[in-house]
Amino acid sequence: DTGVSQNPRHKITKRGQNVTFRCDPISEHNRLYWYRQTLGQGPEFLTYFQNEAQLEKSRLLSDRFSAERPKGSFSTLEIQRTEQGDSAMYLCASSPGRGGRNTEAFFGQGTRLTVV
Amino acid sequence: LAKTTQPISMDSYEGQEVNITCSHNNIATNDYITWYQQFPSQGPRFIIQGYKTKVTNEVASLFIPADRKSSTLSLPRVSLSDTAVYYCLVGVGYGGATNKLIFGTGTLLAVQP
């Protein structure tokens, strides 16, 4: 396991379609984060899991967004009825639980979503 | 989490030492200071974390004054490959329940030959 893996790397979809992204964190990490990043901006927090529990969700996240982490392993982020404003890089990160630095997160390479 | 302020951009030349300063006036007693690096089309990468005084690793040094209201990331002898965006974050480092990392807009460092 060499790091956080995200699939697909790129996704082009038509407005109104649903899309789903997958994140496989580092195997021993129980914390998992989703971020969104647009050009020229820093990553924006979307949601956080500790094991299978979704403990925090950004108020910026509309009802069209949903994330799951069944069994506390991989996670999926689904966007329903995509809009052009959803076009961004979606980043997943994981970090170890107790004993590790809470502020050291390991990021994947992201999924770039383009809504046309 | 405490808000941070850092320059939008900096320019440097290969071989120079680069110092990027971050202000975090409202840092809490149990907050650590963390720096990340991000290359285009990649996720951010952890560089260094500190609480006070000086921390050094194989990549960078982090200087934190006694009042901890600011910090300086020092990159020795930069190369073209150090061209990236550098983010300063503050939050609970050990033992706490940090649920998210708050990124600002970062500092775009451009290294020229």
Side-chain angles (χ1 to χ4, degrees), chain B residues 2-68:
Chain B
K3 183 178 178 180
T4 60
T5 303
Q6 52 185 123
I8 294 175
S9 64
M10 294 183 67
D11 292 322
S12 182
Y13 292 94
E14 282 191 293
Q16 290 187 333
E17 177 185 76
V18 171
N19 296 309
I20 306 174
T21 298
C22 177
S23 298
H24 26 78
N25 292 319
N26 298 320
I27 190 169
T29 302
N30 58 350
D31 280 342
Y32 280 67
I33 299 151
T34 309
W35 286 80
Y36 278 76
Q37 175 192 55
Q38 186 177 27
F39 297 113
S41 299
Q42 293 188 24
R45 181 177 74 104
F46 173 93
I47 300 176
I48 196 167
Q49 175 178 288
Y51 184 80
K52 61 180 178 180
T53 62
K54 177 184 175 181
V55 179
T56 297
N57 61 22
E58 65 277 6
V59 177
S61 294
L62 179 59
F63 298 91
I64 305 168
D67 66 6
R68 303 196 333 116

Side-chain angles (χ1 to χ4, degrees), chain B residues 72-88:
Chain B
T72 299
L73 176 72
S74 181
L75 304 172
R77 298 180 299 282
V78 295
S79 64
L80 295 176
S81 63
D82 292 317
T83 294
V85 177
Y86 293 83
Y87 297 96
C88 166

